[in-house]
Amino acid sequence: MQVLMIHAHPRADSLSAALRDAAKAALEGAGHRVELRDLYAERFDPVLSSEERDRYHDVPANLEGIEDHVASLRRAEALVLVYPTWWYGLPAILKGWLDRVWAPGVAFTLGAGAIEPALTNIRRIAVVTTYGSPTWLLWYIGRPDRKLFGRALRRLCAKDCTVEFVTLTRMDHRTRAECEGFVARVRAHFARW
């Protein structure tokens, strides 16, 4: 498979970076082609400018400045997102990537009653993330990330697109050994893809 991996963490020495590297190595070891887009390393601008908003529905003028990210998304058969969950959501740079790149004519088209999916090339989505919260609190607040990927973004992909999560909760209370164990779990998960 052609896998697009999106990484969103500002530090190269983070657990998130180790998770990214483990997932990428495992996927490549399983024979997949992985295109890595490290949003912080690329200095991706997450801000949807006034000019971009003005041309948001003007396809293809709305792709100006993001053509390479759109091409990556259109090549992908699978999407792997690796990021820490901050304040129960995505890092701002990743949310900005969705705002700017998952645009009309790329991720969807406007239909008569609802949006129509346009990323039918994507058949699988995986999320690798860490939470500071315990599982019970994530359940209590409604797991907003699972709703975003499992309901909204999945709907814009292939009809049979699957969404899976590989997660570590209580991040702030984990030992080094527990974090290393999670890296090993991520590696094993993607080796089975």
Side-chain angles (χ1 to χ4, degrees), residues 140-151:
Y140 179 75
I141 65 165
R143 294 193 176 265
D145 57 343
R146 290 182 187 248
K147 289 178 182 173
L148 172 65
F149 292 112
R151 295 181 187 176

Side-chain angles (χ1 to χ4, degrees), residues 72-78 118-124 157-158:
S72 295
L73 198 54
R74 287 179 170 160
R75 277 191 296 272
E77 296 170 276
L119 288 172
T120 55
N121 50 297
I122 297 177
R123 301 186 323 265
R124 195 169 191 178
C157 299

Side-chain angles (χ1 to χ4, degrees), residues 73-92:
L73 198 54
R74 287 179 170 160
R75 277 191 296 272
E77 296 170 276
L79 179 64
V80 176
L81 300 116
V82 183
Y83 63 90
T85 298
W86 292 334
W87 282 104
Y88 308 105
L90 312 177

Side-chain angles (χ1 to χ4, degrees), residues 1-68:
M1 263 189 308
Q2 178 69 35
V3 179
L4 174 59
M5 180 177 287
I6 303 295
H7 181 244
H9 195 288
R11 295 190 53 113
D13 63 348
S14 65
L15 174 61
S16 185
L19 297 169
R20 171 202 63 207
D21 295 345
K24 184 175 185 291
L27 286 164
E28 289 173 341
H32 303 293
R33 296 172 308 282
V34 180
E35 180 179 2
L36 172 63
R37 302 302 302 249
D38 188 323
L39 300 180
Y40 280 98
E42 291 182 27
R43 298 190 180 282
F44 179 81
D45 183 358
V47 177
L48 182 67
S49 70
S50 176
E51 294 79 19
E52 284 177 302
R53 184 61 187 124
D54 286 346
R55 64 177 188 265
Y56 185 74
H57 292 288
D58 184 3
V59 179
N62 63 346
L63 307 185
E64 185 179 320
I66 57 166
E67 296 91 348
D68 60 329

Side-chain angles (χ1 to χ4, degrees), residues 74-139:
R74 287 179 170 160
R75 277 191 296 272
E77 296 170 276
L79 179 64
V80 176
L81 300 116
V82 183
Y83 63 90
T85 298
W86 292 334
W87 282 104
Y88 308 105
L90 312 177
I93 199 167
L94 181 54
K95 177 61 169 73
W97 182 78
L98 293 173
D99 289 344
R100 292 188 63 212
V101 179
W102 288 59
V106 177
F108 62 92
T109 57
L110 297 175
I115 59 176
E116 299 295 329
L119 288 172
T120 55
N121 50 297
I122 297 177
R123 301 186 323 265
R124 195 169 191 178
I125 299 172
V127 174
V128 178
T129 191
T130 57
Y131 304 95
S133 301
T135 304
W136 70 264
L137 183 55
L138 297 170
W139 175 83

